[in-house]
Amino acid sequence: MLTSKADLPSIPSKRYFTISEVGELTGVKPHVLRYWEQEFSQLRQVKRRGNRRYYQHHEVLLVRRIRALLYDDGFTIQGARQRLGMGGEGERPITAQEVRAELESILEWLDSGIGKK
């Protein structure tokens, strides 16, 4: 499985991509893509012949963005959904890394004050 944005291959210039091609281009397995289709209203694939899914270039980019929010930035699905729906407005959701950093600073503060009276 691909581990970082740098590992992702370039997106070929073609009109439609199958779900397996999108999986290879984004590092996301097809069953996860099908789940994300239910969770992210922005992700709208085209269904053709025999109910097969086809994605366009902008949807491949969107899948990469969702993947980065969830896997790299530590957002929950709800947080990633909010981030994608914001359009840059409002308060941004808190990432798991930010929560952890805040908790670690609280622990340091507690540890520094416990032995002192």
Side-chain angles (χ1 to χ4, degrees):
M1 181 160 194
L2 303 172
T3 56
S4 74
K5 195 174 190 177
D7 293 337
L8 297 175
S10 62
I11 302 171
S13 59
K14 57 189 258 188
R15 185 166 178 116
Y16 293 106
F17 301 89
T18 65
I19 194 167
S20 60
E21 290 173 325
V22 174
E24 292 172 9
L25 293 170
T26 61
V28 178
K29 295 187 181 206
H31 71 274
V32 175
L33 288 170
R34 288 189 291 272
Y35 174 70
W36 286 358
E37 289 170 9
Q38 297 170 1
E39 295 296 321
F40 296 94
S41 61
Q42 301 92 335
L43 190 56
R44 294 281 181 220
Q45 83 291 350
V46 176
K47 285 194 179 179
R48 290 188 172 177
R49 293 174 261 159
N51 230 12
R52 292 187 56 173
R53 290 169 167 81
Y54 291 94
Y55 297 83
Q56 294 182 32
H57 188 273
H58 69 276
E59 291 160 334
V60 176
L61 294 174
L62 178 60
V63 170
R64 284 187 172 185
R65 177 73 177 128
I66 292 169
R67 180 188 184 277
L69 287 170
L70 296 175
Y71 298 166
D72 300 337
D73 298 339
F75 282 91
T76 63
I77 290 207
Q78 181 179 356
R81 193 181 309 125
Q82 289 173 353
R83 171 56 68 95
L84 291 172
M86 298 168 76
E89 299 174 15
E91 187 176 328
R92 69 177 181 83
I94 298 173
T95 66
Q97 287 87 0
E98 291 171 329
V99 171
R100 182 180 181 144
E102 182 68 22
L103 289 172
E104 286 174 349
S105 70
I106 292 170
L107 282 173
E108 288 177 18
W109 177 76
L110 288 172
D111 286 343
S112 68
I114 297 290
K116 300 177 183 175
K117 289 189 178 186

